[in-house]
Amino acid sequence: MDAMECLFTRRSIRMYKHDPIPEETLKEILAAAACAPSAVNMQHWYFVVIRTPEKMEEFRKVMREVKEKFHPVLVDRFQRHPETLQTETFFTSLGGAPVCVLAFFLKDNYPDRDGAMQSVSAALENLMLAAWAKGVGSCWIHRAKEVFDSEEGKELKKQWGVPEEYIGVGHCVLGYRDCEYPTAK
């Protein structure tokens, strides 16, 4: 797939097959994320890859808590489109994706927080485009603050070895899609 086709056809996928992503494919996807441009070349990112069923279930449990806290925001935001609240189901199931990549940035090593946030965001974009080029679907979930501000989220962050000074930017689920989406022309 060429770059333009990748850019025009990538979509957020919310239903995945349980098929694992091969190790080599996952490494290539992560390497592409690490090649993103970054503010003053600081490469502010820190990624955690979750891919065992047990760890994915731990993360889904935290996401269920996030859903409860985020529900009033969604109800308010989508008053005119209540069908959009199906997003909550995705929050709790992660669409059955076999992999989730958590993205963090180091808050203390660069005075421009926006630059650090944008750098990690660029890395997540690279990750999603590289995944799609390999036939792997993705969906970026940006509720990282709510996830890692919860007590269980803080404990998981500690278990996963994420240094305390890193702040969550978002997470991205990866997997082979189990649905069809129209492509842009």
Side-chain angles (χ1 to χ4, degrees), residues 37-86:
S38 67
V40 195
N41 198 28
M42 293 293 288
Q43 302 176 11
H44 305 86
W45 41 74
Y46 186 97
F47 297 110
V48 173
V49 179
I50 306 170
R51 58 186 177 157
T52 67
E54 299 79 27
K55 296 292 182 194
M56 287 295 289
E57 182 51 39
E58 285 178 2
F59 192 65
R60 280 193 294 274
K61 183 178 177 194
V62 172
M63 290 303 292
R64 285 191 285 276
E65 289 180 24
V66 170
K67 183 203 88 152
E68 295 303 318
K69 291 176 186 172
F70 196 53
H71 178 77
V73 174
L74 288 175
V75 169
D76 183 55
R77 185 177 294 164
F78 297 112
Q79 289 177 20
R80 296 193 348 238
H81 301 284
E83 69 279 3
T84 306
L85 290 176
Q86 68 178 323

Side-chain angles (χ1 to χ4, degrees), residues 13 15-22 25 98 134-137 174-179:
I13 306 299
M15 291 176 57
Y16 298 91
K17 297 177 183 176
H18 297 290
D19 302 348
I21 299 171
T25 300
K134 298 298 238 169
V136 176
L174 299 172
Y176 297 102
R177 65 184 180 167
D178 197 16
C179 55

Side-chain angles (χ1 to χ4, degrees), residues 80-122:
R80 296 193 348 238
H81 301 284
E83 69 279 3
T84 306
L85 290 176
Q86 68 178 323
T87 300
E88 292 184 317
T89 303
F90 180 69
F91 271 0
T92 57
S93 70
L94 301 176
V99 174
C100 186
V101 178
L102 309 175
F104 300 87
F105 78 87
L106 182 59
K107 66 181 176 184
D108 293 332
N109 76 337
Y110 188 64
D112 178 8
R113 179 185 169 126
D114 289 344
M117 180 73 75
Q118 291 165 2
S119 298
V120 179
S121 297

Side-chain angles (χ1 to χ4, degrees), residues 55 58 154-162:
K55 296 292 182 194
E58 285 178 2
K154 288 177 185 174
E155 182 57 35
L156 285 178
K157 188 177 164 186
K158 196 181 300 181
Q159 284 178 26
W160 293 328
V162 178

Side-chain angles (χ1 to χ4, degrees), residues 128-147:
M128 291 185 297
L129 290 170
W132 187 236
K134 298 298 238 169
V136 176
S138 64
C139 188
W140 183 341
I141 306 168
H142 72 285
R143 304 305 327 167
K145 179 173 177 16
E146 290 86 348
V147 170

